[in-house]
Amino acid sequence: MHASKIAASATGAVAVGNDNNGYIFTGPVTFQNEANHTTAWNSPQCLPPAIPDFTGRNREISEVEIGISSANRMAILITGKPGVGKTSLALHMAHKVASRYHDGALYADLRGIESNPTLPEEVMGRFLAGVGVAEDEIPAGSDARLDRYRREFTRRKVVIILDNAGSEAQVRPLIPPGGEALVLVTSRFNLSGLEAAYHLFLDVFDDESSLNFLRKTVGPGVVDGDVSSARRVGALCGNLPLALRIAGNRLQTATITELVEELTDQRNRLGALEVGDLAVRAAFNLSFRNLGKSTRNSLKRLSLVPGGDFGSALCAALNDSDERSAKSVLRKLFEANLIESSPRTGRYRFHDLIRLYAQEQFECDSPKKTATASSRMLDWLSYSALKANLTLNGQIGKFDFPTAPVANISSIEEAATWVADEAASAAASIDLLLRAGDPARAKALAIQLSFVCEVVGDWQAWEDVVNRGIVITESHPGDPLFDVPILTSKANLLRYRREFQSALDLASKIYPRAQEAQHEMLIANAAKLLGCLRMDTGDTAGAQPLLEESLSLSRKLGLRHEIGQALYNLGTVHRASGRTHEAIAHFEQDLEICIEVGDTSGAAETMNTLALTHMEIGEFSTSERYQREALRTFESVGNPHKVSMVCNDLAISLRHQGRVDGALSLHLEDIERSRACGNISGEALAKANAAVLLVELDRDAEAEQLFQQAVSVLSALGDELRLARTLLGQTSMLFKAGKTDLALDGAKKSIDVFLRHGEVRDAVSAHENLALEFKDIGENDQALFHVEEAIRIGDGVASPYLRGASCLAAIIVCENLNRPDLVAKYVSELREIVDKYPQVVSHLRKEYEGEGWVVPDGSIGDRDA
């Protein structure tokens, strides 16, 4: 054989549609001279050719290089799902570093995924022959051959690729001792038991690498001529390199628009990803056939799960097994790289194309089998949602569950975790129930999920459920027992998002619907909703009769939970009207009911409102106690929005107690917390409150930046009340900077908003703040105007603490104006407040003595510090 023919034999290859995108050897490698005698090659170069269109993988290449330099490295294991490009990376790295390994390069396909995997002894024989060991010197016995293999390769600096390994046992004998050789192992299995190996999991391409790969396979003109469609091809291929290579080859004969259209059809996508002897489905088939029967069945059934991920509990329900068995099955599928880890610990998900493949296999089962598995999953999701709802609302002991499978939920923490894990799948199951012709169960699931999503504060899942529910109201109309609650849930979501006008418009339609249904419970809840939203939009007078109607109907029906909610809402009316003690009495009754019925979240909400009310009469230690208890509850439920709310209010309580650093820390934490849960308005509010404290600490530059960010966001959102509070919060900073006109303009706009919304307390505080700022710059006439406005507006409405602060500010200003008549008037009024609310004076002293004013128990006067 001539030299040219020797080279051809060494690189003779066939295209393979398994893991790599280039060429690999599929049979034993031999090296012969013209006389057909074995020739000793001391430095064999037996790698398949480099991949000419190898793309990206910079991070992975760096990781392999780290593995190469690792002191205790015996092998580098590259694992990943079928078609991800493991062999391509191994070949690329082997060619990249080949010059460092002067004793040669060897390659073997271990066929580990096939029914007849290559035996390690066979590979040893080929490799020994490759480095020049005569055929008659290669031992026939496996032990002796292993000994000879180790002697030959212990000190040789060679690159060895062991491709498509099926097990640790297949690989271990082929790793030479001594650490001189570089052994690159590829496998569809994780081979977690392989000792002293550097493990690299190879994932799919990122979006840009997919585009670049398509450019190399089909040409830049096709891709850059329609980049958006090319990106769509990448996404529909799941950024899987094998699928992208096939797509690139398909684009030789089809337009990119035609290919996108083909791939968009899920039922035809795997069929569209075939060209020549390359096929995504065939690559997956190899892995699927290698699984045991029960594991194959689990993979098929898991493709039913409609959400983003799944865990052992849902897997057990699908398999009608216990969780221990389900965990074992999931581990096997994960080891085979047919499922991958989800960001949530202990949970898994599919790659899109593998899910489609598993669905195809599932649909090949008998209709009876598929229907049974689907029914088990829907039962588990439906009853578990009900159990989570009853647990979160303290009603779990009042329902007898059937013998159907249900999640293990025995605490509010477990209920909250179930919602976080399964809400997406449960919401999507609403559609499955409708398609199965079971609208009654679809409605029940929508109601249960809307309640639990509200409690845990998962606004995105809540919106998803509500939107699905509204579709049901349109396709199955005429059921007020479903329509009214689901529309009420949507109005509540809008209210949480501070879209008050939209929520009010919807509530105004819900109330007459409930009346038309002549269903007293629906009317009670609809009246409560409409009353609350009228209160939110400043119509306290219009709110009260609706809330009283809700209370009356709830009492008539004996609905303890709803009675508590009505008392809470009426307490809010009393609080807004300045009837502080009446408000506290209502809140305390509601708190007692919440504890009685086991509504932990409702109790926490009431405790925080009680805290705010006690704050208004100067009882800040009581306020803090309630807030810390509410905070613990909302943290256990896992509701980030409620945690944010309480942290904000607790910080205000700490500020009133002079604990500015602690308050600032809470607001800064709240900025990050609100950002993490996507509460844009809450984040802006936290920034505004932090800025107020920074001004107090003379950190005006930092404060100004936060104020600007808050104003920008709240203006864009149209959140009038929070914007008004932010503009008012800038007052002190602007006065310090000499920008009096700007400060006054912002304060006036804020006061207009407060009064329009019935937020009298905020309007009083605004005038009081302006009075003190004008007093500090010597404009006492302006100061007197604003302090008298504060007293006038707050008459009969403002809290004792706030009214006391207004009187003290008036005394300060009137003494500066030398108006003893007005001083006496306001001293007298302040004494009346102190007599009735003695706790007020100590907190006024804390707030105002820092300004150079002494507030003794018996008299109030002007003193220099």
Side-chain angles (χ1 to χ4, degrees):
M1 184 179 290
H2 297 293
S4 60
K5 291 185 178 179
I6 293 173
S9 175
T11 58
V14 295
V16 175
N18 293 342
D19 289 345
N20 61 318
N21 301 315
Y23 297 87
I24 64 169
F25 284 107
T26 57
V29 180
T30 57
F31 305 90
Q32 296 179 316
N33 60 17
E34 287 182 309
N36 204 30
H37 296 301
T38 301
T39 302
W41 281 37
N42 292 323
S43 181
Q45 300 298 321
C46 305
L47 294 179
I51 308 299
D53 52 13
F54 184 85
T55 302
R57 301 299 194 189
N58 294 329
R59 179 186 61 79
E60 291 85 352
I61 289 169
S62 297
E63 282 200 43
V64 173
E65 289 176 338
I66 291 170
I68 292 172
S69 62
S70 177
N72 62 350
R73 178 262 311 157
M74 296 295 287
I76 295 172
L77 173 64
I78 303 171
T79 63
K81 58 182 65 68
V84 81
K86 300 179 289 295
T87 303
S88 294
L89 178 61
L91 285 172
H92 180 81
M93 289 306 304
H95 283 285
K96 182 180 174 68
V97 302
S99 61
R100 304 183 210 171
Y101 296 87
H102 50 74
D103 290 332
L106 298 163
Y107 172 92
D109 181 359
L110 301 185
R111 299 191 185 95
I113 200 70
E114 298 180 23
S115 57
N116 57 334
T118 306
L119 296 174
E121 294 80 4
E122 179 186 338
V123 177
M124 290 178 204
R126 289 167 52 193
F127 284 0
L128 286 169
V131 297
V133 177
E135 185 176 350
D136 56 1
E137 293 180 13
I138 298 174
S142 58
D143 290 342
R145 182 172 291 194
L146 176 61
D147 290 342
R148 181 62 187 269
Y149 178 79
R150 286 174 173 166
R151 286 198 305 273
E152 287 293 334
F153 282 93
T154 295
R155 294 181 179 83
R156 286 183 184 269
K157 290 188 71 67
V158 293
V159 177
I160 297 174
I161 293 181
L162 302 174
D163 202 14
N164 293 317
S167 68
E168 293 90 341
Q170 194 183 24
V171 171
R172 282 193 189 102
L174 298 174
I175 300 176
E180 292 296 314
L182 168 61
V183 182
L184 297 166
V185 182
T186 74
S187 179
R188 297 184 179 204
F189 307 100
N190 288 336
L191 305 187
S192 302
L194 193 61
E195 304 86 351
Y198 187 93
H199 290 252
L200 171 65
F201 175 76
L202 190 63
D203 209 342
V204 296
F205 281 146
D206 57 36
D207 293 344
E208 288 307 312
S209 294
S210 290
L211 276 183
N212 290 333
F213 187 61
L214 284 174
R215 287 187 180 100
K216 289 184 178 181
T217 56
V218 73
V222 173
V223 173
D224 295 333
D226 190 350
V227 174
S228 63
S229 293
R231 288 187 185 278
R232 183 71 177 142
V233 168
L236 291 168
C237 289
N239 291 331
L240 186 71
L242 174 60
L244 288 163
R245 179 171 294 285
I246 294 169
N249 290 345
R250 289 286 319 278
L251 288 172
Q252 305 292 339
T253 56
T255 68
I256 198 165
T257 304
E258 290 170 340
L259 184 58
V260 167
E261 185 177 347
E262 274 193 73
L263 294 174
T264 301
D265 180 0
Q266 286 196 13
R267 300 190 67 84
N268 184 52
R269 189 175 304 166
L270 293 179
L273 290 172
E274 294 181 7
V275 64
D277 63 352
L278 297 178
V280 168
R281 187 186 282 111
F284 295 162
N285 262 330
L286 288 172
S287 291
F288 183 73
R289 291 201 308 264
N290 201 60
L291 300 174
K293 181 179 179 180
S294 64
T295 312
R296 284 200 303 270
N297 285 334
S298 294
L299 182 75
K300 293 188 290 186
R301 292 167 186 156
L302 286 167
S303 70
L304 274 176
V305 178
D309 63 4
F310 44 84
S312 56
L314 184 49
C315 180
L318 279 163
N319 288 336
D320 196 19
S321 70
D322 57 58
E323 272 201 68
R324 183 176 178 180
S325 300
K327 286 178 180 178
S328 175
V329 164
L330 291 172
R331 278 197 301 272
K332 290 175 183 176
L333 291 172
F334 178 72
E335 278 287 318
N337 282 303
L338 289 171
I339 58 175
E340 58 193 48
S341 292
S342 163
R344 293 184 65 83
T345 304
R347 296 182 65 79
Y348 303 90
R349 63 188 180 189
F350 277 109
H351 181 272
D352 287 348
L353 296 181
I354 296 178
R355 179 191 288 277
L356 290 177
Y357 173 83
Q359 286 173 344
E360 283 186 351
Q361 301 304 311
F362 180 75
E363 289 167 3
C364 291
D365 284 348
S366 69
K368 183 178 179 181
K369 282 186 178 180
T370 58
T372 300
S374 178
S375 179
R376 283 198 299 262
M377 179 187 73
L378 293 173
D379 281 348
W380 187 85
L381 289 167
S382 298
Y383 286 119
S384 299
L386 173 60
K387 191 174 184 181
N389 182 31
L390 295 173
T391 302
L392 288 167
N393 288 292
Q395 305 294 305
I396 189 62
K398 299 180 180 180
F399 185 84
D400 292 327
F401 282 87
T403 56
V406 65
N408 181 21
I409 298 171
S410 57
S411 67
I412 59 173
E413 290 85 359
E414 288 176 347
T417 298
W418 185 90
V419 178
D421 287 344
E422 309 295 355
S425 288
S429 293
I430 296 169
D431 299 337
L432 298 181
L433 287 166
L434 286 174
R435 285 202 291 270
D438 197 346
R441 288 185 68 193
K443 291 175 180 180
L445 181 55
I447 293 296
Q448 300 301 329
L449 285 174
S450 66
F451 289 157
V452 296
C453 290
E454 177 178 358
V455 172
V456 303
D458 188 340
W459 291 358
Q460 188 56 55
W462 189 6
E463 181 178 25
D464 187 25
V465 171
V466 166
N467 287 341
R468 283 183 157 93
I470 289 172
V471 169
I472 297 175
T473 67
E474 294 167 351
S475 58
H476 297 78
D479 182 3
L481 287 175
F482 175 74
D483 299 352
V484 170
I486 205 70
L487 291 171
T488 297
S489 190
K490 179 174 182 178
N492 277 324
L493 176 58
L494 292 169
R495 190 179 176 214
Y496 273 103
R497 288 179 164 165
R498 303 184 66 78
E499 298 174 32
F500 295 124
Q501 191 56 53
S502 296
L504 177 61
D505 293 343
L506 182 55
S508 299
K509 297 174 183 175
I510 293 170
Y511 182 59
R513 279 203 194 187
Q515 290 176 314
E516 287 170 14
Q518 297 181 349
H519 192 288
E520 290 182 326
M521 188 175 72
L522 293 183
I523 296 170
N525 287 328
K528 175 185 67 179
L529 173 68
L530 184 55
C532 287
L533 282 160
R534 284 187 176 173
M535 196 160 48
D536 289 336
T537 52
D539 183 10
T540 305
Q544 187 160 348
L546 286 162
L547 297 175
E548 288 173 347
E549 179 186 12
S550 176
L551 177 58
S552 175
L553 286 171
S554 298
R555 281 178 169 156
K556 177 182 175 182
L557 296 168
L559 302 172
R560 294 289 289 161
H561 189 263
E562 282 69 17
I563 291 170
Q565 289 184 337
L567 288 166
Y568 173 90
N569 292 319
L570 282 169
T572 306
V573 172
H574 287 306
R575 179 181 165 220
S577 302
R579 298 186 293 272
T580 307
H581 285 285
E582 291 92 332
I584 289 175
H586 278 69
F587 295 145
E588 287 176 343
Q589 289 179 67
D590 173 45
L591 180 59
E592 184 180 335
I593 291 173
C594 286
I595 294 169
E596 172 196 323
V597 302
D599 184 0
T600 308
S601 296
E605 184 89 32
T606 304
M607 281 190 281
N608 189 59
T609 306
L610 263 170
L612 295 174
T613 314
H614 280 283
M615 198 187 303
E616 290 165 4
I617 57 175
E619 295 178 345
F620 295 110
S621 59
T622 303
S623 173
E624 182 181 350
R625 186 176 72 252
Y626 276 127
Q627 285 164 330
R628 293 203 180 275
E629 182 61 31
L631 185 59
R632 279 191 291 272
T633 297
F634 285 132
E635 285 175 339
S636 70
V637 172
N639 188 324
H641 306 285
K642 297 296 184 183
V643 169
S644 171
M645 173 189 75
V646 180
C647 282
N648 174 72
D649 296 339
L650 175 58
I652 294 170
S653 179
L654 295 181
R655 179 188 173 199
H656 279 299
Q657 296 177 64
R659 294 150 66 182
V660 177
D661 289 337
L664 178 60
S665 177
L666 278 173
H667 285 314
L668 293 176
E669 289 173 16
D670 195 23
I671 292 172
E672 299 305 319
R673 184 181 296 105
S674 298
R675 181 180 297 139
C677 67
N679 189 346
I680 301 171
S681 179
E683 180 186 346
L685 177 66
K687 286 180 176 179
N689 284 330
V692 170
L693 292 169
L694 289 169
V695 172
E696 288 188 24
L697 295 169
D698 293 323
R699 293 161 61 179
D700 289 10
E702 296 170 71
E704 184 175 12
Q705 184 178 14
L706 289 180
F707 273 133
Q708 287 176 352
Q709 292 171 4
V711 169
S712 174
V713 169
L714 295 171
S715 297
L717 291 174
D719 195 335
E720 272 196 323
L721 277 172
R722 286 183 171 175
L723 176 60
R725 293 185 180 113
T726 302
L727 292 173
L728 183 63
Q730 297 181 92
T731 302
S732 180
M733 182 185 73
L734 293 172
F735 266 91
K736 284 167 68 176
K739 301 176 181 178
T740 308
D741 291 343
L742 190 59
L744 186 58
D745 181 60
K748 285 180 177 178
K749 289 177 181 176
S750 298
I751 291 167
D752 288 343
V753 171
F754 294 146
L755 292 176
R756 181 154 37 86
H757 282 266
E759 299 289 338
V760 176
R761 294 184 301 271
D762 287 323
V764 169
S765 292
H767 278 297
E768 180 197 314
N769 290 341
L770 285 171
L772 292 175
E773 294 295 346
F774 277 118
K775 182 271 297 180
D776 286 343
I777 63 173
E779 295 190 22
N780 289 300
D781 289 331
Q782 279 270 47
L784 181 59
F785 167 78
H786 286 291
V787 80
E788 289 182 333
E789 280 294 286
I791 292 169
R792 180 186 66 79
I793 292 171
D795 186 26
V797 178
S799 70
Y801 175 78
L802 195 57
R803 190 158 184 81
S806 298
C807 288
L808 182 56
I811 294 165
I812 295 169
V813 170
C814 291
E815 287 195 340
N816 282 354
L817 285 168
N818 195 23
R819 291 287 305 273
D821 55 328
L822 292 178
V823 170
K825 173 186 174 183
Y826 292 123
V827 165
S828 174
E829 186 170 338
L830 181 54
R831 280 177 177 156
E832 288 179 13
I833 295 170
V834 170
D835 287 342
K836 191 172 182 180
Y837 303 100
Q839 69 273 24
V840 166
V841 72
S842 61
H843 294 291
L844 288 175
R845 184 183 300 123
K846 284 181 183 177
E847 295 241 350
Y848 286 94
E849 283 186 349
E851 302 290 330
W853 292 87
V854 177
V855 188
D857 291 334
S859 63
I860 299 167
D862 183 353
R863 297 287 186 273
D864 290 332

